[in-house]
Amino acid sequence: METAPKPGKDVPPKKDKLQTKRKKPRRYWEEETVPTTAGASPGPPRNKKNRELRPQRPKNAHILKKSRISKKPQVPKKPREWKNPESQSGLSGAQDPFPGPAPVPVEVVQKFCRIDKSRKLPHSKAKTRSRLEVAEAEEEETSIKAARSELLLAEEPGFLEGEDGEDTAKICQADIVEAVDIASAAKHFDLNLRQFGPYRLNYSRTGRHLAFGGRRGHVAALDWVTKKLMCEINVMEAVRDIRFLHSEALLAVAQNRWLHIYDNQGIELHCIRRCDRVTRLEFLPFHFLLATASETGFLTYLDVSVGKIVAALNARAGRLDVMSQNPYNAVIHLGHSNGTVSLWSPAMKEPLAKILCHRGGVRAVAVDSTGTYMATSGLDHQLKIFDLRGTYQPLSTRTLPHGAGHLAFSQRGLLVAGMGDVVNIWAGQGKASPPSLEQPYLTHRLSGPVHGLQFCPFEDVLGVGHTGGITSMLVPGASEPNFDGLESNPYRSRKQRQEWEVKALLEKVPAELICLDPRALAEVDVISLEQGKKEQIERLGYDPQAKAPFQPKPKQKGRSSTASLVKRKRKVMDEEHRDKVRQSLQQQHHKEAKAKPTGARPSALDRFVR
Amino acid sequence: MTANRLAESLLALSQQEELADLPKDYLLSESEDEGDNDGERKHQKLLEAISSLDGKNRRKLAERSEASLKVSEFNVSSEGSGEKLVLADLLEPVKTSSSLATVKKQLSRVKSKKTVELPLNKEEIERIHREVAFNKTAQVLSKWDPVVLKNRQAEQLVFPLEKEEPAIAPIEHVLSGWKARTPLEQEIFNLLHKNKQPVTDPLLTPVEKASLRAMSLEEAKMRRAELQRARALQSYYEAKARREKKIKSKKYHKVVKKGKAKKALKEFEQLRKVNPAAALEELEKIEKARMMERMSLKHQNSGKWAKSKAIMAKYDLEARQAMQEQLSKNKELTQKLQVASESEEEEGGTEDVEELLVPDVVNEVQMNADGPNPWMLRSCTSDTKEAATQEDPEQLPELEAHGVSESEGEERPMAEEEILLREFEERRSLRKRSELSQDAEPAGSQETIDSGSQEVLSELRVLSQKLKENHQSRKQKASSEGTIPQVQREEPAPEEEEPLLLQRPERVQTLEELEELGKEDCFQNKELPRPLLEGQQSERTPNNRPDAPKEKKEKEQLINLQNFLTTQSPSVRSLAVPTIIEELEDEEERNHRQMIKEAFAGDDVIRDFLKEKREAVEASKPKDVDLTLPGWGEWGGVGLKPSAKKRRRFLIKAPEGPPRKDKNLPNVIISEKRNIHAAAHQVQVLPYPFTHHRQFERTIQTPIGSTWNTQRAFQKLTTPKVVTKPGHIIKPIKAEDVGYQSSSRSDLPVIQRNPKRITTRHNKEEKL
């Protein structure tokens, strides 16, 4: 049994190699790195089975192996007023052992580069070229700066590693809890709530708060880390779904008839009757949109910042009860009973795309945090992972014995599937890779069938809602270890939250900007551009940007006669004409070559075919 | 008028002539000369009159050839002299007199004085002045051009322009003015001085300095010596080489070459004994040379020299010999070397029969494998295919034989297997790489996918065909021999793989074709692929060959919608099977699957989807405009359609739009509608220096917000173009600001322009 290679697994040998390579120049940090690598694992005491659970380790060692980025040296321009050759080395007389700026790993820099240099540009004038160069230099500089600031991401994701081919899926939660520290162990708990039926649950964006609603009306919100209950009510109605709005202070609950919004005290703030019979809820945090899918087949977008319904789209596919959002571009994915998954944006009345995924109906859909992969499971008991980058083709397929009823992706790309009363978790290699469905990374059995799944952001925790209540299980390596303190800070105070709220509202993205490729917004609208050009030509009566007709230069020694001028002009014109003809001929050739069937040989009788 | 008069005169003349003719007879007798003369003149006159008729030189001055008595008193005829009359001539009397000389002189003086030219008019003068002034000013101002350009391109301009000196001094200079005051400081300094510690400049003691210097000197000297030596050696070698190169003797060169060859041979022999691996490499080199030779015509007696020799060969023995030599060389080079390793030589006797069975091509492929040469490979493939067909039946008994007597025949097939396996590995890695690249940019270019998939597809199609046979053969094998080792069981796969891979160029099929095939499948026999695949799955041994079938599946998914939905993957061997399912046995599971299949038999998801897609495609296509008017130029009415010709003539075909994004994706419908709400936020006009939208897009691709950038980068990206210090007067730029020295010349045009200001300035200066 071979487990999937973990990213952290091969770190030590690399370091050894590095040391052997760099034996000659003795660097001052070498003494430092060795103890850090050795001392990185004192945290968890190894249990008798010798499993390794490495929570976090410093990242610094891994930057060393990269060479300095081979860009032009950025020598700081110091005005040397005092020209003293002897004092150049400074007061101490010691030479700087590492002159110049610190090296930056190229791959990291590449990660931040956004200009696609592979696309060829049309020939540009000198002035334009200088602008382009400035833009490129700017990009390079900013990406280098961003790469340098990667150093500040001190935390590294943890992972679970079986010893010599041991299957990690065999490790049960009790073992993990035993191995980790007390604080982490406290994150594994079970809430036995057998009374109010299967539970749906939702973590807030910061990962600090948990809300859950049972089908028999039980709604509760709590700070799950400290286990402090915020509110607990019974709405006396079936609860279909529950979701936090932009902050933990607001809570949307899809009840049997209408959509209700509560605050963190459990006080009902709104009852939105225009959203009725809602089955699933999704909140788009950057657009402040609450997307609701209803039994009536409508997908409704509600702007929670102004309380307006932005769009109500009829999916024309019957009851909607499978929904998920793409965190990358805020597109809503709906699963239908005819095996298709449709992608929706509030700006369009029809789906942006429709993908045929399964033979039977779609049971669950999930999209990973980079927006690259979509996992679907259908009634045909298959679990598929699709590539969303334009091809929409399945990358891997797996038949599950009972089919997966619920799917969720973690921040780092782990995929969890709830099948009956069992959850399976699959992991991939690294962050931007699809989970490999060969071997489950972890499995866990619950006390009842699964009804809701979500990974907690910024914590290696998976929340599972089932008929027996709520289970919070530990999944090492599930989530992002570094959080953005300004964006989603789990430890923020009330004041900070309020400030963040204001800022987030100021930066709210308009709903109509949701499209499949968000980077397309940084492109020129070519259609309007051409239309404008056409209108301008009509208005002026001529094309101001047209190429000026060739004017022969006057020549001396009597060669500038009118006849010769005309002749020269004619020559240029003919040349241009010939070029045009050549091009059109080539195009024709291409077309013919394409149209011609390659396989069949032409028959002599073809000439009689009409 | 003149013509009339001329005609009249002509008439008169002719009459005169007639009259004159009468007395001519007797006049002739009187004086022949005279009469002759007279007639001549008349004739001349007549000719002239006639010639003047055509109008060119009608008015000819009457020529006077002799002094005539009749002198007109009105005009002076100057014909005789041919010179113009000069003013002075009039003064001249017949006899020259001195009194007139002064007058003459004066006259000449007056004459020699040129007339003064008319002065230019005012506008023209002004224009010239302006031009000159402009040129001068332009020249003066042109020195500002770089400054202006710099300022225009500057990221930020700070006003007022003041060069403040950066007040950063090295710490030494700050310290130099500092003196120890407190007793503690003095004590410390004393201590330092006692130990000869330098206080300010480089913090090294003299001893340290000395040691440093000594070391460096020593090293430097050694290094220099080394360098000198190396340089000298190099120059010697170069000189020697040059000298040898200059030697013109052919014989000498021949001897040298032969010597080299001999040496090489000897070395090779030695190498073979000492290090067989290196020797093999050498051999490979020779093999390569052979290939080159075979390809080229260098020694085929087809060159210029060879042809000339061939002519000479009849008569010249030497030439004949030279030709022979060349041919022999060719033969020598093209002769194939026997790869005679010890092991093979030993086994040669026992394996003779098999040697025959295995064609040379296999070995050849292996040897040529170092460079990917499609031509060579292709030529091999045909052979290998044949060989494969031969081999397959032969292989079985052979294998059985091996099973019985493994001890003797073990080694050779193993080696062969290794070769094949290695090749297979190479191929696989290549394919993987291509796949990886495909994965890396699936969204980007469809073409790469196409090409990649085409390759793999062609292989895989054939593979799937062969798989069935393979299974059968394997079954046979399994039945006949249960104890065949693992490696041998794997053997057929790579062996078949190889020809398949090599067949690539012939088997390439276009995507479209395959798609069509898939569609046909879809409509005709829907249930066919599924059982087939299942059968494969059941027969497949799970551990043996996980790669090939999987890849194949993925590729097929890319193409065929039917297969895309029916692909079966091995079901999860999860540790914790859901409680409900746990008791399900394999058969039950199969039953379950059967049930699902039956359940979904009714609603054909795929057909519905395809139909929907077709409709979407139709809807998004631009519509043709039909301008036919029924009844025009022909009969119209119910049941009558306008003729096809007419319809064709009046049908305006809509231009074909760009290809759909989901053209090659059978399982996807991507909406082609434009998001006008988002388009309203996009840039619609190109700003100035850009001529193409892609150029502009490149400049706005990097986000500048603080969400995507570090704080520093964000600040740098959003710095204002112009910064003004509050409370400061912004003065116009001066030459000193930029580093130029102001000269009086530069101010010159300005002075000319507005003298008033200058005067005021002068006044001010005076006042000051």
Side-chain angles (χ1 to χ4, degrees):
Chain A
M1 296 273 233
E2 245 279 302
T3 48
K6 302 293 176 304
K9 216 173 175 179
D10 45 10
V11 172
K14 260 186 198 169
K15 226 164 271 160
D16 290 344
K17 207 198 276 173
L18 178 96
Q19 277 178 0
T20 52
K21 210 193 263 177
R22 295 201 171 205
K23 212 143 220 175
K24 244 206 259 167
R26 187 79 175 164
R27 305 292 194 212
Y28 72 93
W29 65 68
E30 284 213 322
E31 278 97 12
E32 265 182 56
T33 51
V34 177
T36 48
T37 50
S41 52
R46 296 184 180 184
N47 62 0
K48 56 195 175 227
K49 280 188 181 177
N50 253 345
R51 268 174 216 127
E52 275 184 80
L53 180 71
R54 301 184 198 169
Q56 275 124 23
R57 66 163 48 199
K59 210 178 183 181
N60 54 2
H62 125 129
I63 281 162
L64 303 182
K65 63 185 172 227
K66 277 96 182 195
S67 61
R68 167 183 312 214
I69 185 164
S70 58
K71 304 275 162 70
K72 58 188 173 189
Q74 294 173 331
V75 183
K77 283 175 202 159
K78 264 191 265 171
R80 282 206 182 279
E81 299 301 319
W82 291 271
K83 279 272 178 191
N84 192 350
E86 283 181 36
S87 71
Q88 265 182 356
S89 52
L91 179 65
S92 64
Q95 295 280 333
D96 184 3
F98 312 105
V104 192
V106 185
E107 302 92 87
V108 184
V109 173
Q110 210 59 45
K111 194 172 75 183
F112 293 103
C113 286
R114 287 179 177 87
I115 292 179
D116 182 14
K117 276 165 189 157
S118 60
R119 289 185 79 182
K120 276 270 185 295
L121 283 183
H123 178 73
S124 40
K125 295 181 290 185
K127 206 170 248 176
T128 321
R129 224 175 300 138
S130 74
R131 288 281 286 271
L132 290 172
E133 273 160 18
V134 165
E136 262 162 37
E138 231 163 41
E139 189 219 19
E140 191 188 309
E141 205 183 333
T142 51
S143 51
I144 284 175
K145 270 179 184 154
R148 272 187 209 292
S149 68
E150 282 261 290
L151 195 73
L152 300 174
L153 305 178
E155 307 285 316
E156 265 208 356
F159 55 90
L160 204 58
E161 189 178 287
E163 201 175 54
D164 22 277
E166 188 192 12
D167 193 1
T168 49
K170 276 182 188 160
I171 302 168
C172 57
Q173 284 292 306
D175 287 343
I176 296 174
V177 167
E178 202 180 315
V180 296
D181 53 329
I182 299 172
S184 302
K187 285 167 187 166
H188 170 67
F189 59 88
D190 274 301
L191 296 180
N192 285 322
L193 307 161
R194 300 213 158 269
Q195 213 178 338
F196 294 108
Y199 278 89
R200 298 279 303 170
L201 82 169
N202 181 234
Y203 287 99
S204 66
R205 276 202 79 219
T206 56
R208 182 80 185 201
H209 299 270
L210 170 69
F212 50 85
R215 185 179 290 157
R216 298 197 182 92
H218 178 210
V219 171
L222 72 159
D223 181 348
W224 71 271
V225 180
T226 59
K227 317 282 193 303
K228 206 181 108 197
L229 190 68
M230 293 199 302
C231 69
E232 186 169 23
I233 49 172
N234 198 320
V235 296
M236 307 303 283
E237 207 178 2
V239 170
R240 298 284 197 28
D241 201 358
I242 188 166
R243 201 136 292 247
F244 276 115
L245 296 191
H246 55 278
S247 73
E248 57 271 15
L250 291 170
L251 198 60
V253 180
Q255 294 179 15
N256 196 22
R257 283 204 75 181
W258 294 311
L259 175 70
H260 293 255
I261 291 180
Y262 298 89
D263 75 347
N264 56 1
Q265 308 294 317
I267 300 164
E268 185 183 318
L269 301 178
H270 301 287
C271 169
I272 297 152
R273 291 192 186 158
R274 282 192 62 190
C275 304
D276 61 331
R277 304 202 167 272
V278 174
T279 52
R280 283 283 178 272
L281 294 172
E282 275 295 339
F283 185 70
L284 310 175
F286 298 104
H287 305 77
F288 284 84
L289 289 179
L290 181 70
T292 61
S294 70
E295 273 179 2
T296 53
F298 272 89
L299 171 66
T300 315
Y301 285 89
L302 174 71
D303 191 335
V304 298
S305 64
V306 291
K308 254 189 193 165
I309 285 182
V310 172
L313 311 168
N314 191 355
R316 291 175 221 277
R319 186 175 191 272
L320 302 174
D321 58 350
V322 180
M323 174 157 80
S324 83
Q325 65 162 307
N326 186 343
Y328 172 65
N329 52 13
V331 165
I332 292 287
H333 293 228
L334 293 177
H336 303 297
S337 57
N338 59 355
T340 59
V341 169
S342 55
L343 278 56
W344 294 86
S345 138
M348 299 280 275
K349 288 282 175 210
E350 60 176 36
L352 300 173
K354 243 182 190 188
I355 311 159
L356 180 60
C357 296
H358 292 279
R359 246 170 191 271
V362 178
R363 287 179 73 191
V365 177
V367 185
D368 85 324
S369 60
T370 58
T372 318
Y373 306 110
M374 174 176 76
T376 61
S377 82
L379 282 173
D380 54 355
H381 290 194
Q382 285 200 326
L383 173 62
K384 290 182 181 177
I385 292 179
F386 283 81
D387 190 350
L388 287 184
R389 292 169 294 190
T391 58
Y392 303 102
Q393 297 302 325
L395 297 172
S396 50
T397 311
R398 185 109 245 196
T399 311
L400 301 172
H402 191 48
H406 298 271
L407 292 172
F409 268 106
S410 83
Q411 279 178 326
R412 285 182 56 78
L414 266 63
L415 175 67
V416 63
M419 307 167 290
D421 60 345
V422 165
V423 287
N424 266 11
I425 299 164
W426 291 279
Q429 281 107 20
K431 202 191 166 193
S433 65
S436 60
L437 301 178
E438 297 285 320
Q439 281 285 307
Y441 175 60
L442 273 181
T443 52
H444 188 60
R445 188 190 298 282
L446 305 152
S447 55
V450 179
H451 195 62
L453 280 173
Q454 200 194 350
F455 278 102
C456 179
F458 307 114
E459 292 281 0
D460 284 353
V461 163
L462 167 69
V464 186
H466 47 90
T467 46
I470 301 284
T471 300
S472 159
M473 53 183 283
L474 297 183
V475 183
S479 57
E480 204 53 56
N482 301 291
F483 58 83
D484 184 350
L486 296 173
E487 191 56 40
S488 46
N489 186 356
Y491 307 110
R492 68 186 174 194
S493 62
R494 202 161 136 262
K495 205 81 199 156
Q496 279 174 326
R497 194 191 75 207
Q498 285 165 355
E499 248 174 58
W500 167 84
E501 213 166 346
V502 172
K503 275 181 190 157
L505 278 168
L506 285 174
E507 286 176 357
K508 190 182 102 169
V509 184
E512 66 255 27
L513 289 187
I514 297 175
C515 50
L516 267 185
D517 181 15
R519 294 197 55 78
L521 293 170
E523 280 167 12
V524 175
D525 184 13
V526 182
I527 296 170
S528 311
L529 183 74
E530 259 151 33
Q531 181 69 23
K533 230 185 233 169
K534 216 185 274 171
E535 277 165 12
Q536 190 192 24
I537 292 167
E538 241 169 62
R539 203 167 50 234
L540 296 175
Y542 69 98
D543 186 5
Q545 268 133 30
K547 202 179 137 202
F550 174 72
Q551 271 304 332
K553 274 182 200 157
K555 286 192 175 175
Q556 281 171 351
K557 293 186 187 168
R559 278 180 297 166
S560 193
S561 74
T562 324
S564 80
L565 285 184
V566 169
K567 214 183 276 171
R568 266 191 281 160
K569 229 187 221 177
R570 161 81 37 206
K571 240 190 229 168
V572 172
M573 263 169 61
D574 284 349
E575 188 55 45
E576 278 169 5
H577 183 71
R578 243 171 279 147
D579 273 349
K580 247 184 226 167
V581 169
R582 222 171 276 146
Q583 273 183 4
S584 68
L585 268 180
Q586 263 182 2
Q587 275 179 0
Q588 264 185 10
H589 268 294
H590 272 294
K591 262 186 199 169
E592 275 172 21
K594 265 183 194 172
K596 212 189 276 173
T598 48
R601 279 178 61 191
S603 150
L605 299 176
D606 278 349
R607 72 192 70 173
F608 301 113
V609 175
R610 271 291 132 100
Chain B
M1 286 284 285
T2 49
N4 279 344
R5 211 185 297 154
L6 270 171
E8 275 171 31
S9 64
L10 204 70
L11 266 175
L13 258 178
S14 59
Q15 280 168 359
Q16 239 179 1
E17 260 180 313
E18 279 170 4
L19 288 175
D21 274 345
L22 294 172
K24 213 177 184 178
D25 300 327
Y26 58 89
L27 266 175
L28 261 175
S29 58
E30 274 181 9
S31 56
E32 237 184 274
D33 277 350
E34 241 186 32
D36 212 340
N37 244 357
D38 203 41
E40 200 115 285
R41 203 186 304 144
K42 272 179 190 167
H43 183 66
Q44 194 71 30
K45 255 190 181 169
L46 180 68
L47 278 180
E48 272 175 17
I50 288 168
S51 67
S52 68
L53 257 182
D54 66 2
K56 257 205 176 160
N57 32 9
R58 270 173 216 160
R59 238 181 282 151
K60 246 193 176 174
L61 284 170
E63 192 183 336
R64 209 166 66 183
S65 50
E66 60 195 62
S68 61
L69 296 173
K70 246 193 193 173
V71 176
S72 167
E73 53 190 318
F74 302 115
N75 53 357
V76 182
S77 146
S78 66
E79 256 168 34
S81 65
E83 283 173 0
K84 270 189 180 170
L85 198 65
V86 190
L87 210 60
D89 292 343
L90 294 178
L91 287 174
E92 218 166 0
V94 183
K95 216 165 60 176
T96 50
S97 67
S98 58
S99 61
L100 279 172
T102 50
V103 184
K104 216 174 173 183
K105 236 178 214 171
Q106 277 173 358
L107 241 177
S108 71
R109 205 182 299 150
V110 166
K111 212 177 153 195
S112 71
K113 238 181 204 170
K114 295 264 165 59
T115 49
V116 178
E117 270 182 43
L118 208 67
L120 286 171
N121 55 359
K122 205 177 157 194
E123 283 98 54
E124 238 160 80
I125 291 170
E126 271 180 355
R127 194 195 301 150
I128 289 164
H129 277 298
R130 260 182 277 141
E131 222 162 81
V132 172
F134 171 79
N135 281 341
K136 265 189 187 167
T137 325
Q139 208 181 356
V140 170
L141 284 182
S142 70
K143 74 170 183 181
W144 288 96
D145 285 351
V147 178
V148 172
L149 195 70
K150 210 177 116 200
N151 279 355
R152 268 189 200 154
Q153 287 177 346
E155 283 172 20
Q156 191 180 36
L157 289 175
V158 183
F159 293 113
L161 290 166
E162 267 174 23
K163 278 261 170 126
E164 51 176 272
E165 305 297 309
I168 308 158
I171 196 82
E172 294 97 282
H173 293 265
V174 179
L175 284 178
S176 63
W178 183 78
K179 271 176 187 170
R181 272 176 230 137
T182 60
L184 179 68
E185 284 169 359
Q186 278 167 356
E187 213 171 307
I188 290 168
F189 266 78
N190 272 342
L191 217 65
L192 285 176
H193 280 303
K194 226 180 258 174
N195 292 333
K196 287 182 181 172
Q197 283 283 355
V199 187
T200 51
D201 240 14
L203 217 60
L204 290 174
T205 57
V207 185
E208 279 172 346
K209 266 187 200 167
S211 71
L212 256 179
R213 206 171 296 148
M215 264 171 67
S216 67
L217 188 67
E218 221 170 18
E219 260 175 37
K221 269 183 179 171
M222 269 173 58
R223 176 139 183 78
R224 188 157 148 259
E226 252 171 52
L227 280 174
Q228 270 177 341
R229 205 176 117 76
R231 223 171 292 141
L233 281 176
Q234 195 183 354
S235 71
Y236 294 157
Y237 184 77
E238 274 173 11
K240 196 184 170 194
R242 222 172 285 141
R243 206 173 52 241
E244 277 175 359
K245 201 184 162 193
K246 262 188 188 170
I247 295 171
K248 281 185 180 162
S249 158
K250 277 184 186 166
K251 194 170 184 185
Y252 166 77
H253 282 295
K254 214 180 266 176
V255 168
V256 166
K257 225 182 256 177
K258 245 176 209 172
K260 265 184 194 168
K262 243 178 213 171
K263 206 178 164 191
L265 209 78
K266 210 177 262 175
E267 268 176 13
F268 177 70
E269 286 295 320
Q270 230 170 22
L271 206 64
R272 205 172 147 199
K273 273 170 200 164
V274 179
N275 187 1
L280 254 178
E281 254 174 49
E282 286 287 303
L283 257 184
E284 226 155 87
K285 263 184 212 167
I286 295 168
E287 184 60 29
K288 211 166 189 179
R290 186 180 77 87
M291 277 159 58
M292 296 295 282
E293 174 62 25
R294 281 190 63 171
M295 277 190 284
S296 75
L297 298 169
K298 201 174 173 190
H299 299 107
Q300 305 267 29
N301 278 351
S302 59
K304 202 172 167 190
W305 174 86
K307 274 175 190 164
S308 72
K309 285 283 159 189
I311 295 164
M312 292 294 291
K314 247 185 204 172
Y315 317 104
D316 196 354
L317 195 78
E318 260 181 59
R320 215 176 300 160
Q321 267 177 356
M323 264 183 69
Q324 288 292 337
E325 221 164 85
Q326 266 239 319
L327 278 175
S328 68
K329 188 154 196 185
N330 177 36
K331 206 170 263 176
E332 190 185 302
L333 275 170
T334 47
Q335 199 172 29
K336 214 185 134 194
L337 276 167
Q338 300 297 335
V339 188
S341 60
E342 260 78 16
S343 60
E344 215 161 284
E345 275 179 346
E346 280 174 16
E347 285 181 4
T350 54
E351 301 290 326
D352 260 345
V353 191
E354 284 186 2
E355 207 94 300
L356 283 173
L357 287 176
V358 181
D360 281 2
V361 200
V362 181
N363 290 327
E364 210 171 76
V365 170
Q366 190 254 336
M367 270 187 279
N368 296 347
D370 53 354
N373 191 346
W375 305 106
M376 302 294 282
L377 286 181
R378 193 164 182 186
S379 70
C380 291
T381 46
S382 53
D383 291 2
T384 18
K385 257 185 276 167
E386 291 167 3
T389 48
Q390 281 182 6
E391 244 174 328
D392 269 24
E394 307 274 3
Q395 205 90 46
L396 265 173
E398 190 192 316
L399 280 171
E400 280 175 10
H402 278 306
V404 176
S405 58
E406 272 181 28
S407 54
E408 45 164 349
E410 184 81 63
E411 279 184 32
R412 206 204 58 84
M414 277 294 280
E416 204 180 89
E417 266 170 33
E418 270 173 16
I419 290 159
L420 287 166
L421 275 175
R422 209 181 308 139
E423 265 197 25
F424 185 45
E425 279 287 323
E426 275 176 17
R427 291 278 165 186
R428 205 162 46 188
S429 67
L430 230 159
R431 223 181 315 157
K432 263 185 193 164
R433 232 175 295 142
S434 71
E435 263 191 1
L436 266 179
S437 64
Q438 209 175 301
D439 276 0
E441 37 164 22
S445 53
Q446 202 67 40
E447 293 163 5
T448 53
I449 293 173
D450 282 5
S451 61
S453 60
Q454 268 181 19
E455 281 181 10
V456 186
L457 255 173
S458 56
E459 297 165 14
L460 293 173
R461 277 177 63 82
V462 189
L463 188 73
S464 65
Q465 286 172 5
K466 294 251 173 172
L467 251 174
K468 279 177 245 168
E469 303 166 20
N470 193 16
H471 281 308
Q472 288 168 359
S473 66
R474 206 183 287 172
K475 262 186 192 169
Q476 278 182 359
K477 236 186 285 171
S479 60
S480 62
E481 274 295 327
T483 56
I484 295 171
Q486 187 80 1
V487 197
Q488 283 184 358
R489 269 181 64 191
E490 266 186 358
E491 194 185 26
E495 262 195 357
E496 280 181 10
E497 186 85 356
E498 185 194 51
L500 297 182
L501 288 167
L502 294 170
Q503 275 166 12
R504 192 176 303 157
E506 296 151 352
R507 286 277 183 162
V508 168
Q509 275 176 324
T510 55
L511 259 180
E512 285 81 20
E513 254 181 304
L514 270 167
E515 251 180 32
E516 279 173 17
L517 272 175
K519 270 180 198 166
E520 280 171 17
D521 274 357
C522 247
F523 292 125
Q524 287 169 8
N525 42 357
K526 236 156 268 160
E527 302 303 322
L528 212 147
R530 188 161 192 168
L532 199 150
L533 274 170
E534 270 181 359
Q536 272 183 24
Q537 194 195 332
S538 60
E539 276 178 5
R540 194 185 299 143
T541 43
N543 287 334
N544 247 358
R545 9 187 294 106
D547 317 348
K550 238 199 127 182
E551 275 174 11
K552 168 189 160 195
K553 227 184 292 156
E554 277 187 12
K555 285 304 144 191
E556 274 184 0
Q557 277 163 7
L558 222 162
I559 298 309
N560 198 336
L561 195 55
Q562 182 75 14
N563 285 356
F564 145 77
L565 281 174
T566 50
T567 40
Q568 289 293 316
S569 51
S571 62
V572 191
R573 293 270 151 246
S574 167
L575 287 166
V577 183
T579 26
I580 317 152
I581 314 297
E582 215 160 22
E583 50 264 27
L584 268 177
E585 296 295 311
D586 261 12
E587 291 164 31
E588 278 187 56
E589 206 172 295
R590 198 165 292 165
N591 283 344
H592 191 76
R593 209 173 285 155
Q594 192 65 33
M595 249 170 59
I596 290 170
K597 216 161 78 179
E598 279 165 17
F600 292 129
D603 44 20
D604 193 350
V605 172
I606 298 167
R607 193 194 292 165
D608 289 349
F609 188 82
L610 284 176
K611 198 179 154 202
E612 198 181 338
K613 176 159 186 180
R614 219 173 300 129
E615 276 164 13
V617 169
E618 283 303 316
S620 74
K621 256 186 197 165
K623 302 277 182 301
D624 297 348
V625 184
D626 194 358
L627 293 176
T628 41
L629 291 174
W632 276 86
E634 60 195 0
W635 288 106
V638 183
L640 282 175
K641 271 187 183 173
S643 66
K645 190 181 161 195
K646 197 177 172 189
R647 250 183 292 149
R648 214 182 307 129
R649 204 181 141 199
F650 287 103
L651 189 77
I652 298 173
K653 277 210 169 164
E656 209 171 299
R660 278 180 72 89
K661 276 179 253 169
D662 53 6
K663 204 177 114 198
N664 295 324
L665 307 170
N667 65 321
V668 188
I669 306 171
I670 298 175
S671 163
E672 295 280 320
K673 265 197 183 157
R674 193 163 157 244
N675 186 352
I676 43 168
H677 297 290
H681 291 268
Q682 282 178 311
V683 179
Q684 292 172 358
V685 182
L686 276 186
Y688 157 58
F690 302 104
T691 49
H692 196 271
H693 64 91
R694 237 180 286 148
Q695 294 166 346
F696 178 60
E697 275 161 18
R698 194 165 269 203
T699 60
I700 57 168
Q701 252 160 4
T702 18
I704 55 170
S706 60
T707 316
W708 299 274
N709 288 308
T710 58
Q711 192 58 26
R712 278 280 195 77
F714 168 65
Q715 279 169 351
K716 179 129 197 277
L717 287 171
T718 55
T719 42
K721 261 271 191 195
V722 176
V723 175
T724 53
K725 280 184 191 164
H728 286 259
I729 299 166
I730 300 170
K731 285 176 193 156
I733 193 167
K734 275 181 289 181
E736 292 93 61
D737 290 338
V738 205
Y740 293 131
Q741 287 179 347
S742 68
S743 61
S744 58
R745 253 191 75 206
S746 70
D747 287 340
L748 202 82
V750 185
I751 296 167
Q752 279 184 345
R753 280 283 165 89
N754 34 9
K756 268 185 207 167
R757 248 177 66 185
I758 295 299
T759 51
T760 50
R761 201 186 288 169
H762 278 296
N763 290 344
K764 266 183 198 168
E765 276 172 12
E766 278 167 18
K767 273 178 202 168
L768 283 170

